[in-house]
């Protein structure tokens, strides 16, 4: 099946990836580039209607500048509330909205409420805002706070804010319930969170001012797609069809992602055709999920055709585009094609991220090129940039998948004496590998390190290891 995905239709040609032309300026720098730090630009928060003086961009800039001043002028000795009082004549609700966002980003979310329990809020930003003459309690304030608490995994605090909103006389609307659903979906217990989310969804359908909108459907579709629950995605999509709500690009992407992640290519292509019939143009997420789905099924001709269509479209590839292709070529042991993707990415002016380098390390591992994988790892170490635990884990995994547990142990021991730190995921990876290889001495040494570092394995940790040991025993007996 040839797929149509160009600006009006996305046409998949049979052009091989080796012939694809670059669409960005080329750069002649070295292949192993230092990862760039992500931009930390401030995003403006929703605000009340502003006065008509000055442009929207100017107002946003002024808001951002004042929030930066507020954040610079508080510390342990100078509480944020004191700083707010100092600027009481100019601070308004839009500043508080943006302040909540920035505090959440910097892991200082407690400054939003500054409490461990909801009973002592007399000196919080939240209560400070409530005391101002310009403050009018509305759903926007509570939606923003619930959203911040949810992103920080503070589901109980989000629930308390929901109750506080009702007690203040505000009636919840769709946006508040959307924030509450999202807050639950950020919790660790995903199964329970999804049940809660569906519970709220069903409740919303029975309240006139809280009826689910397209944002609600998209939040749930994305969550169930990530959980690989295709049945629930199909049910939600059918429910959407029967409602007055119209799907958008995020809806179609969510459903296609669910099918793609489960290898249901024909169903994914059917949704793609429906998206086209709805005159809904694909975005870069559409291209990326198609590339990933075809790559995982090793339908590389279609994957390459989608990539070629992406280059012809108004959209531009992103790092996940290249990372997915490198990984999937690697799993198919197509080393040269993976290397060509990496080379083309550099030629197009993209700077590889640490994830890209980890994909390259794993790709070489799949292709039995351990020395090349180690070369990339050593290059990262020598670059002076922070080496993440996931990068260390990738190199350890390459050693273990190639039967080089002794080399993995040597790297692990040397990493303990450098700036590269390990965590429970590192121990789990090595425990499984050593157990599967029945290397008792290495296991004993690893357990000693775990005890010394205070790593306490949970039930799942040992179940995974015992599963590996069981498969190893079965292989030995066979």
């Amino acid at each position: 099946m040839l797929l149509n995905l160009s600006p009006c239709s996305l046409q998949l040609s049979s052009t091989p990836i080796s012939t694809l032309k670059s669409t960005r300026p080329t750069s002649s720098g070295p292949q192993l580039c230092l990862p760039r730090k992500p931009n930390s630009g401030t995003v403006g928060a929703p605000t009340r209607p502003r006065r008509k003086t000055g442009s929207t961009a100017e107002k946003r800039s002024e808001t951002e500048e004042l929030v930066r001043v507020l954040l610079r002028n508080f510390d342990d000795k100078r509480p944020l509330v004191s700083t707010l009082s100092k600027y009481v004549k100019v601070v308004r609700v839009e500043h508080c909205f943006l302040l909540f966002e920035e505090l959440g980003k910097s892991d200082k979310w407690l400054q939003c409420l500054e409490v461990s329990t909801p009973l002592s809020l007399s000196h919080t930003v939240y209560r400070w805002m409530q005391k101002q003459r310009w403050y009018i309690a509305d759903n926007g304030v509570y939606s923003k706070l619930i959203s911040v608490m949810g992103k920080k995994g503070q589901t109980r605090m989000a629930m308390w804010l929901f109750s506080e909103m009702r007690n203040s006389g505000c009636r919840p609307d769709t946006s508040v319930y959307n924030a509450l659903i999202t807050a639950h979906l950020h919790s660790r217990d995903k199964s329970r969170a999804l049940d809660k989310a569906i519970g709220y969804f069903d409740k919303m359908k029975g309240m006139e001012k809280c009826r689910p909108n397209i944002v609600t459907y998209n939040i749930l579709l994305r969550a169930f797609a990530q959980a690989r629950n295709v049945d629930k995605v199909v049910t939600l999509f059918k429910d959407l069809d029967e409602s007055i709500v119209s799907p958008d690009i995020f809806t179609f992407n969510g459903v296609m992602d669910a099918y793609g992640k489960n290898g249901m290519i024909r169903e994914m292509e059917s949704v793609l055709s429906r998206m086209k019939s709805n005159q809904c143009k694909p975005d870069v997420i559409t291209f990326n999920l198609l590339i990933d789905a075809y790559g995982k099924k090793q339908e590389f001709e279609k994957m390459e055709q989608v990539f070629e269509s992406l280059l012809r479209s108004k959209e531009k590839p992103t790092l996940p585009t290249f990372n997915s292709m490198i990984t999937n070529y690697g799993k198919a042991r197509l080393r040269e094609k993976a290397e060509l993707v990496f080379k083309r990415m550099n030629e197009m002016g993209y700077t590889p991220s640490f994830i890209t380098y980890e994909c390259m390390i794993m790709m070489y591992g799949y292709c039995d090129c351990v020395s090349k994988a180690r070369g990339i790892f050593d290059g990262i170490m020598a670059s002076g940039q922070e080496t993440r635990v996931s990068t260390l884990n990738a190199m350890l995994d390459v050693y273990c998948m190639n039967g080089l547990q002794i080399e993995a142990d040597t790297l692990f021991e040397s990493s303990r004496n450098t700036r590269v730190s390990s965590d429970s995921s590192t121990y789990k990876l090595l425990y499984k590998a050593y157990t599967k290889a029945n290397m008792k001495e290495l296991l004993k040494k690893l357990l000693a390190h775990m005890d010394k570092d205070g790593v306490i394995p949970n039930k799942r940790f040992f179940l995974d290891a015992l599963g590996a040991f069981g498969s190893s025993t079965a292989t030995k007996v066979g």
Side-chain angles (χ1 to χ4, degrees):
M1 173 185 178
L2 288 182
L3 302 177
N4 247 335
L5 287 174
S6 63
C8 294
S9 64
L10 192 152
Q11 181 67 44
L12 293 190
S13 70
S14 58
T15 307
I17 193 166
S18 57
T19 65
L20 297 180
K21 301 264 178 128
S22 301
T23 60
R24 291 197 176 195
T26 61
S27 62
S28 56
Q31 275 195 314
L32 192 61
C33 313
L34 297 185
R36 287 178 183 167
K37 293 184 179 179
N39 293 331
S40 56
T42 308
V43 179
T47 65
R48 296 170 184 269
R50 299 183 176 95
R51 292 191 295 270
K52 294 183 180 180
T53 58
S55 68
T56 302
E58 288 174 351
K59 287 291 183 182
R60 182 179 299 142
S61 178
E62 291 172 6
T63 301
E64 292 172 354
E65 180 57 34
L66 180 54
V67 169
R68 280 193 289 268
V69 170
L70 293 172
L71 291 171
R72 284 198 301 264
N73 283 275
F74 87 94
D75 51 34
D76 293 338
K77 295 180 180 179
R78 296 176 298 173
L80 181 54
V81 170
S82 299
T83 305
L84 284 168
S85 297
K86 182 179 177 181
Y87 292 90
V88 66
K89 291 184 179 181
V90 290
V91 173
R92 293 294 182 267
V93 69
E94 58 264 31
H95 302 106
C96 293
F97 272 23
L98 187 52
L99 191 57
F100 291 144
E101 283 192 359
E102 293 303 312
L103 290 170
K105 289 178 187 176
S106 59
D107 279 335
K108 294 176 181 174
W109 62 267
L110 276 173
Q111 293 286 340
C112 297
L113 302 176
E114 257 181 24
V115 289
S116 56
T117 65
L119 301 176
S120 56
L121 286 167
S122 58
H123 298 292
T124 65
V125 176
Y126 169 62
R127 191 65 81 196
W128 181 91
M129 182 175 65
Q130 286 184 315
K131 289 180 179 179
Q132 306 313 306
R133 287 191 301 173
W134 45 260
Y135 175 77
I136 299 174
D138 66 15
N139 292 344
V141 173
Y142 289 101
S143 292
K144 180 60 65 178
L145 277 169
I146 288 170
S147 177
V148 170
M149 295 301 117
K151 287 177 182 177
K152 292 298 152 188
Q154 300 298 316
T155 310
R156 291 180 64 185
M157 193 65 80
M159 288 295 297
W160 175 80
L161 283 164
F162 183 71
S163 299
E164 176 78 358
M165 180 201 70
R166 299 179 71 131
N167 293 337
S168 70
C170 292
R171 297 183 63 183
D173 59 12
T174 302
S175 66
V176 173
Y177 272 103
N178 286 347
L180 196 57
I181 288 172
T182 304
H184 278 286
L185 292 174
H186 276 99
S187 63
R188 291 184 179 180
D189 189 343
K190 297 301 179 187
S191 178
R192 185 179 177 186
L194 290 168
D195 288 341
K196 282 275 189 182
I198 284 296
Y200 285 123
F201 174 72
D202 291 336
K203 185 177 180 180
M204 289 169 71
K205 289 195 283 187
M207 296 184 288
E208 186 176 349
K209 291 188 177 181
C210 302
R211 296 279 168 82
N213 58 16
I214 192 58
V215 176
T216 317
Y217 281 100
N218 289 344
I219 290 169
L220 292 172
L221 284 167
R222 183 173 183 271
F224 282 106
Q226 289 178 333
R228 299 178 182 270
N229 190 333
V230 177
D231 291 340
K232 202 65 185 177
V233 169
V234 172
T235 301
L236 281 166
F237 202 37
K238 184 179 179 182
D239 189 285
L240 174 61
D241 271 343
E242 296 169 355
S243 74
I244 61 171
V245 181
S246 299
D248 60 13
I249 184 63
F250 302 103
T251 316
F252 290 114
N253 284 346
V255 178
M256 285 191 289
D257 193 35
Y259 284 135
K261 279 183 167 60
N262 285 274
M264 302 169 71
I265 299 299
R266 292 179 66 181
E267 291 82 355
M268 180 186 74
E269 292 174 343
S270 174
V271 175
L272 177 63
S273 298
R274 179 174 168 181
M275 184 184 83
K276 284 165 42 189
S277 67
N278 279 37
Q279 303 299 311
C280 193
K281 293 181 180 179
D283 61 9
V284 70
I285 295 174
T286 314
F287 287 103
N288 283 351
L289 67 87
L290 290 171
I291 285 170
D292 196 53
Y294 287 130
K296 285 177 179 174
K297 292 292 285 186
Q298 298 193 3
E299 295 188 22
F300 293 121
E301 184 178 351
K302 286 185 177 181
M303 183 187 80
E304 292 164 5
Q305 290 168 2
V306 174
F307 182 67
E308 193 266 342
S309 297
L310 170 57
L311 294 181
R312 291 200 316 264
S313 75
K314 293 181 180 179
E315 302 290 341
K316 299 298 178 186
T318 59
L319 286 179
T321 313
F322 300 105
N323 295 344
S324 172
M325 296 174 75
I326 290 168
T327 298
N328 289 315
Y329 277 138
K331 288 180 177 179
R333 300 172 68 86
L334 298 172
R335 178 173 62 85
E336 290 183 359
K337 287 207 168 189
E339 289 176 333
L340 183 60
V341 171
F342 185 73
K343 179 183 177 183
R344 189 165 299 282
M345 181 184 74
N346 279 278
E347 290 175 347
M348 293 172 69
Y350 291 86
T351 300
S353 68
F354 74 93
I355 296 175
T356 308
Y357 289 119
E358 289 169 10
C359 291
M360 290 295 291
I361 289 170
M362 292 301 297
M363 180 274 292
Y364 282 126
Y366 295 134
C367 297
D368 303 327
C369 299
V370 179
S371 61
K372 285 183 175 290
R374 184 58 191 259
I376 292 178
F377 180 80
D378 290 342
I380 295 170
M381 292 287 290
S383 70
Q385 292 287 327
E386 177 189 0
T387 304
R388 299 170 185 258
V389 64
S390 55
T391 308
L392 171 64
N393 288 353
M395 192 62 234
L396 291 171
D397 202 11
V398 165
Y399 277 134
C400 293
M401 74 170 69
N402 284 277
L404 301 171
Q405 284 80 9
I406 300 295
E407 285 78 358
D409 176 65
T410 302
L411 175 59
F412 176 65
E413 290 291 343
S414 65
S415 72
R416 293 175 60 82
N417 300 317
T418 64
R419 54 189 168 82
V420 184
S421 59
S422 54
D423 62 15
S424 58
S425 64
T426 311
Y427 288 109
K428 184 176 179 179
L429 185 158
L430 292 175
Y431 195 103
K432 289 174 67 175
Y434 296 163
T435 302
K436 189 172 183 179
N438 198 25
M439 305 189 79
K440 296 179 181 178
E441 288 302 316
L442 290 182
L443 270 173
K444 185 178 178 181
K445 188 162 64 167
L446 185 69
L447 287 169
H449 283 313
M450 289 172 65
D451 185 55
K452 182 179 178 181
D453 293 345
V455 177
I456 303 173
N458 56 21
K459 184 179 178 181
R460 180 65 181 270
F461 185 102
F462 286 115
L463 284 175
D464 287 346
L466 287 171
F469 181 74
S471 64
S472 174
T473 305
T475 304
K476 217 178 241 186
V477 172

